Amino acid sequence: DALLYVDPGNVDTVYAIDESGSMATEDTPGEGTRITNAKKAANVLADLLRDGDRIGIIGFGGEDNPAGCGLPPAGSGTGNCPDASITRLARINNVTTPGDIGITKAAINNVTDRPVWTNIGHGLINAKDMLLANPGNTNPDHIILLSDGQENVNPLYNTPAVKGALQ
């Protein structure tokens, strides 16, 4: 019900969704698992897509190789697990509604918790790379991060490696 006096313009957005095993947790009985709630939030955002927007979806996680490679307390390793992120929806460069809203929601519903570690740093870098891939444009770029935040794989989101890559 907001009143807009100017066209809000188009946006480019990548949803980076945590697919790690901890997302299968249901914190409060009856309220759904973390992954279910992340998917609900992403579906609400998909309903806001407009003609001309750009959208992409990445499910991020770190491969358990070698076994236990995640950082303590969940793992016993150094945190140097390989990236096992999955592009769930390659970037749509010119959304048309309602068709691409349905395609986006189908991709969101394919997101699932997997036996992988939480690599938020890789997820953010992968999302940024998808946003900046050709063809470029002047739309504002946004990354929507949906995660429980229990990060245990390098690079950690607040390290110079990730901060520098996102600038």
Side-chain angles (χ1 to χ4, degrees), residues 56-76:
I57 299 170
I58 293 174
F60 65 88
E63 183 180 348
D64 190 25
N65 184 8
C69 61
L71 292 168
S76 59

Side-chain angles (χ1 to χ4, degrees), residues 64-81 117 152-154:
D64 190 25
N65 184 8
C69 61
L71 292 168
S76 59
T78 61
N80 296 320
C81 309
W117 297 99
N152 46 31
V153 173
N154 292 317

Side-chain angles (χ1 to χ4, degrees), residues 9-94:
N10 292 109
V11 296
D12 298 352
T13 308
V14 173
Y15 305 161
I17 304 173
D18 184 350
E19 293 189 336
S20 66
S22 63
M23 294 294 284
T25 303
E26 184 174 30
D27 297 303
T28 303
E31 290 191 5
T33 63
R34 296 171 183 173
I35 194 77
T36 297
N37 292 322
K39 289 162 58 168
K40 285 179 184 177
N43 275 302
V44 168
L45 294 169
D47 282 329
L48 301 175
L49 289 170
R50 290 171 296 143
D51 290 335
D53 287 346
R54 298 196 310 182
I55 184 71
I57 299 170
I58 293 174
F60 65 88
E63 183 180 348
D64 190 25
N65 184 8
C69 61
L71 292 168
S76 59
T78 61
N80 296 320
C81 309
D83 183 26
S85 297
I86 297 172
T87 298
R88 296 292 182 175
L89 177 66
R91 190 180 71 194
I92 298 173
N93 288 325
N94 189 12

